[in-house]
Amino acid sequence: MGTLPELFAAWFAGRGWTPRPHQLALLRAAAAGSSALLVAPTGGGKTLAGFLPSLVDLAARPRPGLHTLYVSPLKALAVDIARNLMAPVDELSLPIRIETRTGDTPQNRRTRQREDPPHILLTTPESLLLLLANPEATGFFAGLGAVVVDEIHALAGTKRGDQLALGLARLASLAPAARRVGLSATVAHPEPLRAFLSPSGDPADVRLVQVRGGAAPELSIQLPEGHLPWGGHMGLASAPDIYRRIGEARVTIVFVNTRAQSELVFQALWRLNDAVLPIALHHGSLTVEQRRKVEAAMSEGKLRAVVATASLDLGIDWGAVDQVIQVGAPKGVARLLQRVGRANHRMDEPSQAVLVPANRFEVIECTAAIEAVRHEDLDGDLPRPGGLDVLAQHLLAMACAGPFHPDDLFAEVTRAAPYAALPRRDFDDTLRFVEDGGYALRVYERFRKLFRDSEGMVHVRDQRVARQLRMNLGTIVETPMIKVRLRGGPVLGEVEEWFVSTLEPGDNFMFAGQALRFEALDAMSAVVTRGGEGELRVPTYAGARMPLSTWLAARVREILHDPKKWRLLPEPVRDWLRLQQKRSALPDPEGLLVETFPRGNRWFMVAYCFEGRLAHQTLGMLVTKRMERLGYAPMGYLATDYVIATWSAFEPTDVAPLFEEDILGEDLEEWMAESSMLRRTFRNIATIAGLIEKNHPGQEKRPRQMTMNSDLIYDVLRKHEPDHVLLRATRQEAAGGLTDIARIGMVLARAKGRIRHMRLARVSPLAVPALIEEGREWVAGGAEDALLAEAAALVDEVTDGDEIFAGLLADVTEGVRVRAGVVDTPRHRDRPRRNRYVRSAPKRVTGA
């Protein structure tokens, strides 16, 4: 099987293709029984390379049973691959059955698949664990020959990746001869991914097939006509330019960074859509049915553009897409390349992409990202250790499949790369928790799920436990959500519960691409009608902002500090930096610039940390706590991806103590103990671990019930078992991703002995964007006008006396209005009535 058989060579020739070297390399690896990681540019035939050895083997030796398992991070990607994979199977008349199994697969088909498995099964990590938790798993996977993991970079280092790694470890026990293939276009650290694929956790067991070359993407920056905004992150000022580009291309994907931004950009494009181009909206809070209709419309060539979030980041192959527009800074080089790769989808032709920065800082970030792509420098964090909450869920699933001995399962689990260094104590404590809840909870019957027999074998207590596992399985825990339902009509999607709690009957908001009026909150949904006018709010979502990557942040600091690199920047940004140089100083890539200045009756302090919003939010809280201790009377703070800004009653005269490294000691522990963050983190971990149920047979739990239950349990454990394994997992997670402590440490290390404190008489040019954003989530009525006036005054204050900045007052309006959550939405009665999520020409793209 190391060479391409004649039947397949003829099929390639009939299509005018020549097998690519990496496709033949995977054939040779399969012939040797070796696993492989393929890293190749988008459009290089990765998917066919991954499946080709399986097709060749099944064509040569047809046999019943499951041969190849394909795991995708997205249901839609599995369905898309199934459709594309059927082409060679049908054209070659191969006796191969290909099916998908996801959460959308009907129950009767799932039952048939267990009784008569297809040759190739396309699934997700969650559905794989459901299959492994079945007592029939041993027979089902006995003949497995290969596992293909697509978009492996999107899984490794996440909780879904932990879940998959544990599933792969179980598959290695059930089908030890099965080889593994990982596919990815963007890999910064291939060695951890090789370890992730390895049955032993040793990267040396996995061949690395890395494809160099391919056409470099053609990237450019589009600035709005007129003035370039100082603040705001929505990019609405560039809507006319985006719409013009959509009209000039065949099919465009307009990528944005948040769901709120997608709604705003979609509305802005529609207001300009005099040609009634079919433009769709796609994000994770819309219903599955709506998203599938958009995907189908794209596949059928019925759309000119779709505005999308990360919901379309991964490799759905829409060959007609000839342009990608990224609105807002990409926040990471690998993320940018992933999105750019959706255009053209051919390795030998350059992908066309336009970056549309929303403000001046984002211009610098976009420039840094383009330079990084040009030099083929990728960013990306190393995978973290596996989560104990995911391990708890896996242990229960394995008990549902059949009895196990703890020693055997520990050996199996530690062959999964994320758990290779798992201490036996953590394993035993996690197993003890799954058995009966642990010391503090064992008196409650509902937490008893496992028992041990006289030989030490672990069994599931009863089938009720197995049913609850199936209903609650998964590692994705949503923030409490409320369905949005049209009165007398369908559900449009979901918004966060906190947002609905701020609405009064008659309030208007924008969702699913349309203006809605809130009427009432019934038992399970927010009831709305179409037609909200005038001032509209836009739902935002917790954690929706992508943090600036560490590596890209360093490039931004370098560009800011070195005037020689300013030649890459447009003239308005160069003028902005020159004025900063004149009025204050430029941030140092190896130190920390801190500015203080008075404004009104407050003192502002702005620290240019450039370590991303997550790290800045935590550091801002710690800094204000220390300011309070030092008597500066802090009144508030804000965090952007670039800076931390605080305001206080008294002038911070000595800023060095505010950024000392010991702030990560008692100050951090005290803040974490007092904040609600640990409670939220505990709720998520307890839900994944099975302590808190999302669903129960015969009923659906309200988010508020889940929160109350988790808070009660959290308080019990803190009081009676402070070293409980779930509390340890909570502290570990909070210290990792949620608070970004490692990046805070980097800021403080840079600052040590290298703080440059500029005491200014007034706001500096670089500080203006932060002050424009100062804590205004939403402003209603006349307060909005006051905010606009204040923002204009800020720019006026900075630019006074500098002729090159004359006329810049108007360019703050977009940033402030969007920050305020206020959007003007004039109605266009002369245009065709829109459907729920696609605005199109009179011929409907999808049903309304």
Side-chain angles (χ1 to χ4, degrees):
M1 198 174 68
T3 58
L4 194 65
E6 181 58 34
L7 176 67
F8 288 86
W11 179 77
F12 271 86
R15 289 199 160 206
W17 294 350
T18 300
R20 295 186 183 273
H22 57 270
Q23 293 171 333
L24 298 177
L26 287 198
L27 274 176
R28 291 191 293 272
S34 298
S35 297
L37 170 63
L38 171 60
V39 180
T42 297
K46 290 190 300 296
T47 302
L48 182 57
F51 282 106
L52 192 58
S54 298
L55 298 179
V56 169
D57 186 31
L58 284 168
R61 298 186 303 120
R63 54 197 183 276
L66 180 63
H67 180 282
T68 297
L69 185 72
Y70 166 91
V71 184
S72 159
L74 291 180
K75 297 176 187 177
L77 189 54
V79 173
D80 183 69
I81 295 298
R83 183 175 59 249
N84 293 334
L85 194 56
M86 287 307 300
V89 170
D90 290 342
E91 292 169 15
L92 292 172
S93 300
L94 299 176
I96 297 175
R97 207 169 92 236
I98 302 170
E99 295 184 8
T100 62
R101 184 188 181 97
T102 69
D104 298 334
T105 304
Q107 183 58 47
N108 61 344
R109 191 185 304 169
R110 297 184 198 184
T111 302
R112 178 177 55 76
Q113 288 172 347
R114 286 199 302 270
E115 297 170 351
D116 180 21
H119 298 98
I120 298 176
L121 183 64
L122 314 177
T123 190
T124 61
E126 293 80 8
S127 291
L128 172 59
L129 184 56
L130 277 173
L131 287 169
L132 291 171
N134 194 292
E136 301 168 359
T138 300
F140 184 84
F141 291 107
L144 184 67
V147 182
V148 179
V149 182
D150 204 355
E151 305 290 357
I152 187 171
H153 70 279
L155 288 167
T158 69
K159 292 199 176 188
R160 295 183 81 204
D162 295 346
Q163 184 182 56
L164 176 58
L166 291 169
L168 292 175
R170 170 44 58 108
L171 287 175
S173 299
L174 300 179
R179 57 186 177 81
R180 302 176 183 181
V181 178
L183 307 176
S184 181
T186 51
V187 174
H189 309 290
E191 290 307 293
L193 293 189
R194 293 172 69 188
F196 185 92
L197 279 173
S198 171
S200 65
D202 184 353
D205 294 340
V206 177
R207 297 187 186 185
L208 176 62
V209 180
Q210 196 155 13
V211 180
R212 301 293 183 184
E218 295 180 358
L219 305 178
S220 61
I221 293 177
Q222 174 72 60
L223 299 181
E225 294 182 7
H227 298 302
L228 177 62
W230 291 58
H233 56 260
M234 295 298 182
L236 302 187
S238 295
D241 305 293
I242 296 170
Y243 180 74
R244 175 181 54 78
R245 287 182 175 273
I246 290 173
E248 294 170 352
R250 289 179 302 163
V251 182
T252 302
I253 300 181
V254 181
F255 277 115
V256 298
N257 292 339
T258 70
R259 285 167 280 185
Q261 187 182 16
S262 72
E263 295 277 356
L264 288 166
V265 170
F266 183 67
Q267 284 283 349
L269 292 175
W270 178 247
R271 291 199 298 273
L272 299 166
N273 196 8
D274 293 322
V276 287
L277 302 176
I279 300 173
L281 176 65
H282 192 289
H283 63 70
S285 289
L286 299 177
T287 62
V288 172
E289 293 77 15
Q290 290 176 350
R291 296 198 303 271
R292 296 295 175 266
K293 286 179 181 179
V294 171
E295 293 157 12
M298 282 289 283
S299 298
E300 295 164 10
K302 295 180 179 178
L303 294 179
R304 292 291 297 277
V306 59
V307 180
T309 60
S311 58
L312 291 184
D313 268 8
L314 301 179
I316 297 178
D317 184 4
W318 289 324
V321 175
D322 55 353
Q323 176 182 236
V324 162
I325 299 176
Q326 165 66 42
V327 183
K331 304 303 172 189
V333 181
R335 181 183 296 118
L336 174 62
L337 282 175
Q338 190 71 38
R339 292 182 166 188
V340 169
R342 306 282 66 78
N344 281 345
H345 220 78
R346 288 178 289 276
M347 178 177 169
D348 301 323
E349 297 180 19
S351 297
Q352 305 287 333
V354 179
L355 279 64
V356 182
N359 58 54
R360 294 169 186 238
F361 269 127
E362 287 197 350
V363 172
I364 300 171
E365 186 182 333
C366 288
T367 302
I370 290 176
E371 282 297 291
V373 170
R374 185 173 294 132
H375 291 93
E376 298 184 352
D377 293 333
L378 287 179
D379 52 9
D381 296 326
L382 292 170
R384 49 154 187 73
L388 298 180
D389 50 346
V390 182
L391 176 61
Q393 187 179 111
H394 182 77
L395 295 180
L396 181 57
M398 295 305 95
C400 291
F404 63 80
H405 194 281
D407 293 346
D408 297 334
L409 194 55
F410 176 72
E412 179 181 291
V413 163
T414 51
R415 286 195 290 269
Y419 296 91
L422 178 72
R424 181 61 190 253
R425 179 209 170 195
D426 284 352
F427 177 87
D428 290 338
D429 287 351
T430 305
L431 180 57
R432 169 69 188 279
F433 156 72
V434 180
E435 283 185 77
D436 59 17
Y439 169 77
L441 301 177
R442 63 182 178 180
V443 295
Y444 299 99
E445 178 66 27
R446 66 190 179 103
F447 298 130
R448 297 178 185 175
K449 299 178 179 178
L450 306 178
F451 70 91
R452 304 192 191 207
D453 62 21
S454 59
E455 297 179 354
M457 299 293 287
V458 177
H459 302 252
V460 67
R461 190 166 288 275
D462 52 44
Q463 285 305 304
R464 173 189 59 85
V465 173
R467 285 196 303 272
Q468 289 175 337
L469 170 74
R470 288 193 292 270
M471 292 187 67
N472 292 278
L473 184 143
T475 62
I476 300 174
V477 182
E478 294 283 356
T479 302
M481 307 289 280
I482 296 289
K483 290 181 173 62
V484 177
R485 177 173 59 81
L486 280 172
R487 181 173 292 284
V491 172
L492 300 178
E494 295 179 321
V495 297
E496 291 188 3
E497 186 180 40
W498 74 265
F499 178 77
V500 175
S501 71
T502 68
L503 297 176
E504 298 287 342
D507 285 352
N508 301 316
F509 66 100
M510 185 190 304
F511 181 69
Q514 55 195 290
L516 303 173
R517 178 179 292 106
F518 175 67
E519 290 197 351
L521 181 64
D522 65 16
M524 295 302 296
S525 60
V527 181
V528 300
T529 56
R530 287 193 179 103
E533 296 185 40
E535 189 177 280
L536 297 179
R537 295 178 59 185
V538 183
T540 56
Y541 299 83
R545 295 300 306 276
M546 300 175 179
L548 178 68
S549 74
T550 304
W551 192 87
L552 190 55
R555 272 187 172 263
V556 169
R557 290 196 303 271
E558 289 175 7
I559 291 176
L560 275 171
H561 184 69
D562 186 358
K564 294 178 182 177
K565 297 182 182 293
W566 294 359
R567 59 181 176 76
L568 303 171
L569 303 173
E571 190 62 30
V573 178
R574 293 200 296 269
D575 289 341
W576 182 49
L577 297 181
R578 292 188 194 107
L579 187 58
Q580 172 70 17
Q581 202 173 26
K582 174 181 175 182
R583 294 287 178 85
S584 177
L586 293 169
D588 188 333
E590 301 302 326
L592 179 64
L593 173 65
V594 179
E595 297 173 337
T596 55
F597 50 85
R599 179 162 180 79
N601 58 354
R602 296 177 288 182
W603 281 90
F604 282 82
M605 180 180 72
V606 180
Y608 297 89
C609 304
F610 294 97
E611 285 299 342
R613 185 176 298 259
L614 287 178
H616 291 173
Q617 284 173 339
T618 303
L619 182 56
M621 182 66 73
L622 297 176
V623 167
T624 53
K625 284 183 70 69
R626 184 155 289 191
M627 289 175 71
E628 185 174 2
R629 187 179 304 163
L630 294 175
Y632 296 133
M635 302 166 68
Y637 82 101
L638 67 86
T640 72
D641 268 323
Y642 313 110
V643 308
I644 299 168
T646 70
W647 48 97
S648 57
F650 303 108
E651 178 185 3
T653 53
D654 185 8
V655 301
L658 302 177
F659 297 93
E660 291 179 351
E661 290 179 285
D662 65 357
I663 204 170
L664 291 179
E666 291 184 5
D667 288 344
L668 177 63
E669 292 179 6
E670 179 182 344
W671 170 69
M672 289 179 65
E674 293 175 355
S675 74
S676 61
M677 183 194 65
L678 283 185
R679 290 182 181 273
R680 293 196 303 270
T681 306
F682 177 80
R683 182 180 70 83
N684 293 343
I685 283 177
T687 302
I688 294 170
L691 187 65
I692 305 295
E693 295 177 358
K694 291 179 289 186
N695 304 299
H696 192 77
Q699 65 185 49
E700 182 178 354
K701 288 205 169 188
R702 290 294 303 270
R704 190 163 296 174
Q705 290 176 303
M706 293 173 58
T707 300
M708 290 174 62
N709 289 343
S710 67
D711 283 351
L712 288 171
I713 296 172
Y714 178 73
D715 290 336
V716 168
L717 293 181
R718 284 189 65 195
K719 181 177 181 180
H720 298 288
E721 195 176 355
D723 197 40
H724 191 280
V725 64
L726 293 192
L727 292 182
R728 299 206 303 266
T730 298
R731 290 189 288 267
Q732 178 183 354
E733 183 160 318
L738 292 175
T739 54
D740 234 341
I741 288 176
R743 294 186 70 172
I744 296 174
M746 294 169 62
V747 173
L748 301 179
R750 284 203 311 271
K752 189 174 183 179
R754 292 190 294 271
I755 292 180
R756 185 174 185 183
H757 180 193
M758 301 297 296
R759 299 179 66 183
L760 308 176
R762 56 181 175 172
V763 59
S764 74
L766 289 191
V768 168
L771 267 65
I772 287 174
E773 291 199 40
E774 185 194 325
R776 298 331 204 280
E777 291 297 338
W778 177 53
V779 181
E784 179 207 350
D785 296 330
L787 178 57
L788 292 174
E790 181 179 351
L794 280 172
V795 180
D796 192 28
E797 181 179 326
V798 171
T799 60
D800 181 39
D802 290 90
E803 293 184 2
I804 59 174
F805 286 93
L808 284 180
L809 301 184
D811 72 3
V812 301
T813 301
E814 184 268 352
V816 176
R817 292 181 65 81
V818 172
R819 179 65 181 173
V822 178
V823 187
D824 294 320
T825 55
R827 301 189 70 181
H828 300 272
R829 303 181 188 279
D830 56 331
R831 293 185 181 168
R833 180 177 177 269
R834 62 176 182 261
N835 69 9
R836 289 175 295 180
Y837 61 99
V838 178
R839 290 177 174 165
S840 65
K843 182 180 179 182
R844 297 297 178 86
V845 173
T846 59

